[in-house]
Amino acid sequence: MRKLLIIITMFLTFLVGYGKNSEINVRKGAKLPSFELMDFNRTKIKSHKILNNGNPTLLVFVAEWCPYCQHELPEIQRFYEENKDSVNVAVVFISKNTTLSDSKKFIDENGFTFPVYYDLDRSLMNAFKIKSVPYNLKIQNSVIQDIQNGVVTYDKLSELFSSGK
């Protein structure tokens, strides 16, 4: 019985210590650990497939109900269309105060074609310590190069990604 109790305790410790995304050190120069993204079809993809392909990455956290995000997303679309061969774009819709179907409907109604993901269980929002959206990160080889809170324009994105491409 005692052995069983020890095994169960070790298993629970493993789950808590090595479970889903824990906190991520979100600062310039920090290396991101591997994490999972889930697309709108509920297919999961490992972050390293996007972040480590040699191109810089724009990782954006948004919500369809957010007026600032509604203003920024057309700018992201324009940037994506003009840079999709040289910059990875990953737009993550948070699940706070919304649903996956609401986010899908918003994307469809606006004709956005950039890659979209959904933070179903808020694990990414919690791991990245996101307090407000939109939240933009420039990442190169899993290292955070820049952090932008608030609305980012096409011109700002172009400037941000023209340096150090």
Side-chain angles (χ1 to χ4, degrees):
M1 180 68 168
R2 187 170 182 207
K3 284 184 180 181
L4 180 61
L5 205 55
I6 291 170
I7 290 171
I8 291 171
T9 302
M10 289 174 60
F11 178 72
L12 290 174
T13 302
F14 173 80
L15 284 178
V16 170
Y18 299 98
K20 290 200 171 207
N21 305 319
S22 54
E23 281 194 7
I24 293 176
N25 185 6
V26 184
R27 63 171 174 71
K28 289 182 185 179
K31 185 158 179 75
L32 296 174
S34 184
F35 55 91
E36 282 188 337
L37 295 162
M38 183 187 81
D39 69 18
F40 278 18
N41 296 317
R42 296 181 182 254
T43 302
K44 292 184 178 180
I45 182 171
K46 296 284 185 186
S47 61
H48 66 83
K49 290 187 177 187
I50 297 170
L51 303 179
N52 294 331
N53 71 351
N55 289 336
T57 300
L58 172 63
L59 178 63
V60 184
F61 290 89
V62 296
E64 86 280 344
W65 48 262
C66 164
Y68 303 107
C69 300
Q70 292 169 5
H71 181 74
E72 179 179 275
L73 287 170
E75 302 284 304
I76 302 278
Q77 178 65 37
R78 181 175 166 208
F79 179 79
Y80 171 71
E81 287 171 1
E82 294 183 17
N83 296 281
K84 60 184 164 191
D85 294 330
S86 60
V87 176
N88 305 312
V89 173
V91 178
V92 179
F93 281 79
I94 63 169
S95 60
K96 185 176 182 179
N97 301 326
T98 190
T99 64
L100 176 58
S101 61
D102 287 341
S103 296
K104 282 181 181 180
K105 182 180 175 188
F106 177 78
I107 287 292
D108 292 341
E109 287 176 350
N110 287 281
F112 296 132
T113 60
F114 44 71
V116 290
Y117 302 93
Y118 192 71
D119 188 17
L120 183 66
D121 60 2
R122 298 186 191 166
S123 60
L124 292 176
M125 187 177 164
N126 292 331
F128 280 88
K129 301 175 213 99
I130 295 171
K131 303 289 185 225
S132 64
V133 288
Y135 188 80
N136 301 269
L137 298 164
K138 177 186 178 187
I139 302 165
Q140 178 74 47
N141 297 321
S142 292
V143 175
I144 298 173
Q145 302 293 312
D146 200 272
I147 302 167
Q148 298 287 317
N149 288 307
V151 177
V152 178
T153 64
Y154 169 83
D155 291 336
K156 178 64 178 175
L157 288 171
S158 295
E159 175 188 323
L160 190 63
F161 281 87
S162 68
S163 60
K165 249 192 193 180

